[in-house]
Amino acid sequence: MIPAIAKSLRLLLVSTSVGPLGSGIGGGVELTLQNIAQEMRRRGHTIQVVAPTESVMGDIPIQGIPGNLQMMAQNLESDAPICMPGDAVLANMWEYIRTVQADYDLIVNFAFDWLPFYLTPFLTRPVAHFISMGSITQTLDQMMEQVAVRFPGTIGVYTASQAATFPFAERCRCLGSGIDLSLYEFCGEPGEALAWLGRIAPEKALEDAVAASHLTGIPLKIFGKMQDKGYWQQICWEYPQAPIEYVGFLSTKELQKELRQCQALVMTPRWVEAFGNVAIEALACGVPVIAYRRGGPAEIVRDGETGFLVEPDSIAGLVEAIKRLDEIDRYKCRQHAETEYSLDALGDRFEDWFKDILGNG
Ligand code: HBI
């Protein structure tokens, strides 16, 4: 049953600018954008996505925009200036938005970049900004704060711990996350392997999970976009005997087939992970999550019930938790995902946010 709402909204969803949707370069925010697009359409809203050319997202209509991709922000120093390449896809996306905005009720920005925030007062339509990471540079924080002050209620984030990294934490609306649970199949009888899932990059600290695999001798299956090849080679060089396997970047359908067979997901974020969509993907398959007590995962995992929270950066802590996995009831993990992270629950939270911004909340 599609819940009736006052009126159907015309939503223009604006992609991250670092890579085409479907490439995995945009990490967790790609999944969030896809889930919101799918769920808002199911609720009878009109959806249009604006994204770099070659983006694909099922049967959701995408306006592909050419231009040079934006540099990844997460490795910038906190005093880094704003950089834009020539013929920037980010600028071209917002030029397109300027020309079509009158056809929409609300623009929803998913890019973690300065330009969309700076342009907000220049547009004739309201912009909802979904921020997908914790604070990275002061310049970006300042521009985000200007929008948060001038347009109250228009800043959305995943979690409270992510909001706490910003000076305007109290002006952030925590929306959590969610996934299409029908895509994930419960598995009660896993194999021996552990899983690690995410962009292969230093902020994700894959080396800690590899060290735990090396120490326990338990195989580790690694899934995700090979973002930093040099970093990966360094890990392989440091742990030549670790029983690890790089499986690659898989579609959700293929990923969950392998993930559900694992005895646990190991999450080792070195940075404040804004949410950790991979954690709820694992829970949806009945896979317990062992995570550092840091950022979003610390708000997701119920310690001792749906996984274990470990002293941040403690490899010994990971090893200890791995030994306790038989204490976890895998079906409780699936139930946790169903009660907290369904697409329907996520859709309610985003729809309420949109209606509050448009004043008919
Ligand atoms: N960097 N400049 C920039 N812009 C983004 O939108 C962006 C990014 N780095 C990572 C990223 N988005 C996503 O992987 C995370 O938001 C999940």
Side-chain angles (χ1 to χ4, degrees):
M1 195 278 275
I2 294 181
I5 66 161
K7 79 183 186 66
S8 103
L9 301 176
R10 299 166 300 165
L11 301 170
L12 188 59
L13 309 184
V14 189
S15 162
T16 173
S17 54
V18 292
L21 291 172
S23 69
I25 300 171
V29 80
E30 285 190 33
L31 190 61
T32 299
L33 198 161
Q34 173 161 5
N35 286 334
I36 293 305
Q38 186 182 310
E39 181 59 16
M40 289 302 130
R41 201 164 60 161
R42 189 185 72 81
R43 291 165 181 243
H45 301 299
T46 305
I47 297 297
Q48 173 67 48
V49 173
V50 184
T53 43
E54 285 152 51
S55 288
V56 285
M57 200 161 75
D59 59 355
I60 302 278
I62 293 186
Q63 176 66 40
I65 303 291
N68 294 313
L69 297 174
Q70 197 63 17
M71 295 71 81
M72 305 284 277
Q74 60 268 34
N75 305 320
L76 293 174
E77 296 301 319
S78 69
D79 60 355
I82 298 302
C83 294
M84 293 280 286
D87 186 26
V89 67
L90 184 63
N92 297 342
M93 283 160 68
W94 286 87
E95 168 53 19
Y96 171 78
I97 292 162
R98 184 186 63 79
T99 63
V100 301
Q101 60 182 322
D103 299 337
Y104 298 92
D105 300 305
L106 182 67
I107 300 162
V108 189
N109 170 47
F110 287 85
F112 192 94
D113 286 289
W114 182 85
L115 188 66
F117 291 88
Y118 177 72
L119 291 177
T120 300
F122 290 75
L123 296 161
T124 59
R125 282 288 183 272
V127 185
H129 292 282
F130 184 77
I131 298 179
S132 60
M133 293 188 280
S135 163
I136 295 179
T137 68
Q138 292 153 21
T139 311
L140 190 43
D141 283 2
Q142 286 157 12
M143 187 48 64
M144 289 173 166
E145 184 160 29
Q146 280 184 34
V147 170
V149 170
R150 190 163 168 183
F151 303 97
T154 63
I155 303 288
V157 294
Y158 284 117
T159 59
S161 44
Q162 174 198 359
T165 66
F166 293 105
F168 49 89
E170 73 291 346
R171 297 175 182 273
C172 295
R173 185 159 175 154
C174 295
L175 295 158
S177 186
I179 50 177
D180 181 348
L181 294 168
S182 69
L183 300 179
Y184 301 82
E185 202 181 325
F186 173 73
C187 167
E189 306 294 330
E192 191 202 4
L194 298 166
W196 189 91
L197 176 48
R199 286 179 292 107
I200 315 278
E203 67 270 16
K204 302 280 187 177
L206 169 59
E207 65 272 24
D208 289 11
V210 172
S213 168
H214 172 69
L215 288 170
T216 58
I218 299 175
L220 178 69
K221 288 190 168 192
I222 298 161
F223 307 91
K225 183 78 187 170
M226 180 57 74
Q227 182 185 304
D228 184 332
K229 196 105 173 91
Y231 168 66
W232 165 251
Q233 283 160 351
Q234 174 70 23
I235 292 175
C236 296
W237 183 79
E238 272 176 40
Y239 297 96
Q241 308 305 324
I244 63 174
E245 175 197 356
Y246 175 55
V247 180
F249 174 67
L250 306 182
S251 67
T252 299
K253 189 163 176 283
E254 292 310 310
L255 168 71
Q256 70 85 28
K257 271 188 204 151
E258 301 247 2
L259 178 58
R260 55 197 287 275
Q261 303 287 342
C262 294
Q263 62 167 316
L265 172 73
V266 180
M267 290 186 77
T268 52
R270 196 72 82 215
W271 66 341
V272 174
E273 190 75 43
F275 184 75
N277 276 317
V278 299
I280 58 177
E281 294 188 282
L283 293 175
C285 296
V287 177
V289 177
I290 294 172
Y292 286 153
R293 192 186 304 276
R294 178 184 276 151
E299 297 185 37
I300 297 170
V301 179
R302 289 179 183 153
D303 194 19
E305 191 188 335
T306 58
F308 296 104
L309 291 173
V310 166
E311 177 62 29
D313 311 322
S314 163
I315 292 166
L318 295 176
V319 172
E320 274 317 297
I322 290 166
K323 289 178 183 160
R324 296 179 54 198
L325 279 170
D326 55 5
E327 295 173 26
I328 303 294
D329 173 354
R330 288 172 71 92
Y331 193 62
K332 278 227 172 81
C333 296
R334 170 72 192 190
Q335 285 174 317
H336 184 190
E338 287 174 352
T339 50
E340 301 281 329
Y341 302 112
S342 71
L343 221 39
D344 191 45
L346 181 70
D348 286 348
R349 296 193 293 267
F350 268 79
E351 201 171 58
D352 290 348
W353 181 35
F354 295 160
K355 288 193 289 186
D356 288 349
I357 291 174
L358 294 174
N360 51 16

